[in-house]
Amino acid sequence: MSAYAELQVTSNYSFLRGASHPSEFVDQAAELGHTAIALTDRNTLAGVVRAHIAAKEMNVRLLVGARLVTQEGVELICYPQTREAYGRLSTLLSRGKLKAEKGACHIRLDEVIAQSEDQIFIVMPPG
């Protein structure tokens, strides 16, 4: 097994950005001998359940996360570290989707910061 883990995988749950199903990424990670993979779709946790099922079957550790794209244009990869942090991330994304038209998510950086307890962030460079 390889100690390598891809930390920002975008599946078909990131509308018009990813093409493969979450389980296909997990299968490929297992085939390559990786011990872990992170699913980080754009402003959603929608593919996590399918990825989790595949990861369990393939004995690959799944790092649950999301790529947060704020109204200010800041992009962060967010990894909740506890069940409570996952709940805060899920709530943040749900509220953002309620404020936006279908298929969009309106979250602000201050809202992300307010929900940041027990989250690990990777700040993505612009453009």
Side-chain angles (χ1 to χ4, degrees), residues 73-125:
V74 175
E75 294 194 26
L76 309 154
I77 304 293
C78 176
Y79 300 104
Q81 297 302 294
T82 63
R83 184 179 206 160
E84 293 78 15
Y86 180 88
R88 284 190 293 278
L89 175 59
S90 180
T91 298
L92 172 72
L93 293 170
S94 294
R95 288 180 181 160
K97 290 180 184 307
L98 286 173
K99 292 187 285 186
E101 61 281 353
K102 185 176 172 113
C105 184
H106 293 169
I107 56 175
R108 296 184 325 270
L109 185 57
D110 65 322
E111 294 172 317
V112 174
I113 292 168
Q115 301 300 325
S116 65
E117 183 181 348
D118 294 328
Q119 312 280 10
I120 293 177
F121 294 98
I122 297 174
V123 179
M124 302 305 292

Side-chain angles (χ1 to χ4, degrees), residues 33-97:
H34 299 168
T35 56
I37 188 168
L39 182 66
T40 56
D41 280 310
R42 183 183 175 96
N43 289 336
T44 188
L45 294 165
V48 168
V49 172
R50 289 197 169 119
H52 173 73
I53 291 167
K56 209 170 179 179
E57 289 172 359
M58 302 301 293
N59 197 30
V60 172
R61 181 175 176 216
L62 176 66
L63 305 173
V64 173
R67 184 182 196 112
L68 304 178
V69 182
T70 70
Q71 293 294 104
E72 299 89 350
V74 175
E75 294 194 26
L76 309 154
I77 304 293
C78 176
Y79 300 104
Q81 297 302 294
T82 63
R83 184 179 206 160
E84 293 78 15
Y86 180 88
R88 284 190 293 278
L89 175 59
S90 180
T91 298
L92 172 72
L93 293 170
S94 294
R95 288 180 181 160
K97 290 180 184 307

Side-chain angles (χ1 to χ4, degrees), residues 4-23:
Y4 177 80
E6 180 58 53
L7 296 178
Q8 59 165 348
V9 172
T10 301
S11 78
N12 60 341
Y13 284 91
S14 289
F15 184 62
L16 296 178
R17 297 185 187 278
S20 296
H21 297 288
S23 60

